[in-house]
Amino acid sequence: MHAAVRRASLLTRSLHTTAPVMGRFALNHTMLRVKDAKQSLDFYQNVLGMELSASLVTDLLEKFELTQDPFVPHAVHESPGSDFTNYFLAFPEEGKENLSKEEKAERKFKREGVLELCHNWGTESDPEFKGYSNGNEEPGRGFGHIALSCEDVEAECARLTDLGVQFKKRPEEGRMRHIAFIYDPDRYWIELVPSGGKKGEKGM
Amino acid sequence: MHAAVRRASLLTRSLHTTAPVMGRFALNHTMLRVKDAKQSLDFYQNVLGMELSASLVTDLLEKFELTQDPFVPHAVHESPGSDFTNYFLAFPEEGKENLSKEEKAERKFKREGVLELCHNWGTESDPEFKGYSNGNEEPGRGFGHIALSCEDVEAECARLTDLGVQFKKRPEEGRMRHIAFIYDPDRYWIELVPSGGKKGEKGM
């Protein structure tokens, strides 16, 4: 169907739909494939401070009474016959920092801001594996980045520099001095934006 | 640097870092490039129910006293010399559904669950443009999907089917009967997951 026709069709129909459950969505998570789960979990947990949530992985670890070491992809199947592991990470939610483990587990598919890292087993040690596309070059352009907001971008960048994190754009580079871009271990871009907006500019 | 050495280096250093601002991050947004802003905004607003937030676009529209029609990329520059427009969309936040326009604007870089759609002008009418990679095939594999949670996946799927939305996986297909995958106008995957977890399975 021609795009314009299809669009008109969607619009017309949506106007005639009562849509009883519309608007109860939450943007729960973004999924990225990673080459090396250990390296990525180190980065997102220890460098950025995300928490590995009660997840499919930890649920399965408990179910099979395995060690709580999350680095045992060879021992845990996401589902029968699968050869990947998904890790769900998130920052503590504003106003919900002190939830119990049970309350966090209960909220994990209700909340926003979750990052799912999908590790297809073996890529970390496969010399033939070429790595994933970060989405910002051809071929493979499409996905851009995830963005983390924080109070003080410059202070974070100083800390990240000290940890050896690689920058695509430091705050002092380019025209937009209030933001930065770092690379994660798979070279995905992560934007750092001030949670209070751009200093000195109304409405930003 | 060898990956293992680099990882050890990061870990050792992070243990020695006081990290004063660590943990105040929020996963603010995910950025995807889209071919046709009109079509994508129709889909994310009218089909899925996201709201176009006070954004760079609307800020600039106000600044230059332009019409509030968001479909005027030819008239608005994100910044001098740029030829793209970014649209920021989000669902109303749980417990914050009735915020004023000013309160929403104030929260836009503090909150989680924002989707940024980047439209590079002209792709919508360029016969040479091949479209973006959705990240799930070679070349360009990397990004996977975004996921929306909702109370009743089956009811949403019925409504989306009625609207002519294309499915990658309906709930009744495959092994995982509690989730679905739809396509957005650029063929990005959108997972639909139940906010209450998988029915009948503890801990999911």
Side-chain angles (χ1 to χ4, degrees):
Chain A
M1 199 188 302
H2 186 277
V5 175
R6 181 171 155 69
R7 181 184 162 253
S9 161
L10 280 169
L11 268 176
T12 309
R13 289 203 216 171
S14 66
L15 289 172
H16 288 86
T17 303
T18 54
V21 287
M22 179 186 272
R24 295 186 199 167
F25 284 117
L27 206 170
N28 179 244
H29 67 252
T30 296
M31 188 279 252
L32 301 177
R33 293 179 179 84
V34 299
K35 174 183 177 180
D36 185 326
K38 273 199 184 190
Q39 204 170 3
S40 294
L41 288 172
D42 175 38
F43 178 81
Y44 283 100
Q45 290 180 288
N46 299 327
V47 176
L48 295 182
M50 298 187 98
E51 296 178 350
L52 187 64
S53 77
S55 69
L56 295 178
V57 180
T58 51
D59 289 346
L60 285 162
L61 286 166
E62 284 177 13
K63 185 171 174 183
F64 295 111
E65 295 181 355
L66 298 167
T67 167
Q68 284 296 321
D69 179 358
F71 304 121
V72 284
H74 58 281
V76 183
H77 286 260
E78 184 82 9
S79 58
S82 71
D83 50 1
F84 61 90
T85 305
N86 293 333
Y87 301 91
F88 292 84
L89 297 132
F91 294 105
E93 288 180 286
E94 184 191 3
K96 294 187 167 65
E97 290 81 358
N98 300 316
L99 294 185
S100 68
K101 185 188 165 194
E102 290 71 26
E103 288 168 324
K104 282 183 185 171
E106 199 266 335
R107 280 192 58 69
K108 77 180 172 190
F109 288 125
K110 289 195 170 92
R111 62 165 295 175
E112 299 190 307
V114 175
L115 182 65
E116 176 183 4
L117 301 180
C118 175
H119 175 227
N120 289 293
W121 304 351
T123 51
E124 72 283 6
S125 56
D126 179 2
E128 302 296 313
F129 181 69
K130 304 295 185 196
Y132 291 116
S133 165
N134 70 12
N136 295 303
E137 293 133 31
E138 297 294 356
R141 198 153 169 259
F143 170 71
H145 59 263
I146 59 169
L148 310 182
S149 58
C150 61
E151 279 186 34
D152 190 332
V153 169
E154 286 193 11
E156 281 295 343
C157 288
R159 189 178 66 81
L160 295 169
T161 299
D162 189 49
L163 291 172
V165 169
Q166 290 185 41
F167 282 73
K168 173 176 170 55
K169 178 205 170 307
R170 293 179 181 278
E172 64 270 23
E173 295 169 348
R175 286 179 307 198
M176 298 183 79
R177 300 298 171 101
H178 62 300
I179 64 167
F181 277 91
I182 60 173
Y183 290 109
D184 95 338
D186 288 273
R187 309 284 292 173
Y188 289 116
W189 296 8
I190 301 178
E191 183 179 5
L192 302 178
V193 295
S195 51
K198 192 172 165 182
K199 286 173 192 165
E201 182 155 342
K202 182 179 167 292
M204 279 287 291
Chain B
M1 200 188 305
H2 186 276
V5 175
R6 181 172 156 69
R7 180 181 165 255
S9 160
L10 279 170
L11 267 177
T12 309
R13 290 201 215 172
S14 65
L15 290 171
H16 289 85
T17 302
T18 54
V21 286
M22 179 186 273
R24 294 184 201 169
F25 284 118
L27 205 170
N28 178 245
H29 68 252
T30 296
M31 188 278 254
L32 301 177
R33 293 179 179 84
V34 298
K35 175 183 175 178
D36 185 325
K38 273 199 184 191
Q39 204 170 6
S40 294
L41 288 172
D42 174 39
F43 178 80
Y44 284 100
Q45 291 180 290
N46 299 327
V47 177
L48 295 182
M50 297 187 98
E51 295 178 349
L52 187 65
S53 77
S55 68
L56 295 179
V57 180
T58 49
D59 288 347
L60 284 163
L61 286 167
E62 284 178 13
K63 186 171 173 181
F64 295 110
E65 295 181 354
L66 297 167
T67 167
Q68 283 297 320
D69 180 358
F71 304 120
V72 283
H74 58 281
V76 182
H77 285 259
E78 182 83 10
S79 58
S82 72
D83 50 0
F84 60 91
T85 305
N86 293 332
Y87 301 89
F88 293 83
L89 296 134
F91 293 105
E93 288 180 286
E94 185 191 3
K96 294 187 167 65
E97 290 81 358
N98 300 317
L99 295 185
S100 68
K101 186 188 166 193
E102 290 71 26
E103 289 167 323
K104 282 183 185 171
E106 198 266 333
R107 281 192 58 70
K108 79 180 170 190
F109 288 125
K110 290 195 170 91
R111 62 164 295 176
E112 299 191 307
V114 175
L115 182 65
E116 175 184 4
L117 301 180
C118 174
H119 175 227
N120 290 292
W121 303 350
T123 51
E124 72 282 5
S125 57
D126 178 3
E128 301 296 312
F129 182 69
K130 303 295 185 195
Y132 291 116
S133 165
N134 70 12
N136 294 304
E137 294 133 31
E138 298 294 356
R141 200 154 168 258
F143 170 71
H145 59 263
I146 59 170
L148 310 182
S149 58
C150 60
E151 278 186 36
D152 190 332
V153 170
E154 285 193 12
E156 281 295 345
C157 288
R159 189 179 65 82
L160 295 169
T161 299
D162 189 49
L163 290 172
V165 170
Q166 290 185 38
F167 282 73
K168 172 176 170 55
K169 177 205 170 308
R170 293 179 182 277
E172 64 270 23
E173 295 169 347
R175 286 180 307 196
M176 299 183 78
R177 299 300 171 97
H178 61 301
I179 63 168
F181 278 91
I182 60 173
Y183 290 108
D184 94 338
D186 287 274
R187 308 286 291 175
Y188 290 117
W189 296 9
I190 301 177
E191 184 180 4
L192 302 177
V193 294
S195 52
K198 192 172 164 183
K199 284 173 193 166
E201 182 156 342
K202 183 182 165 291
M204 280 288 291

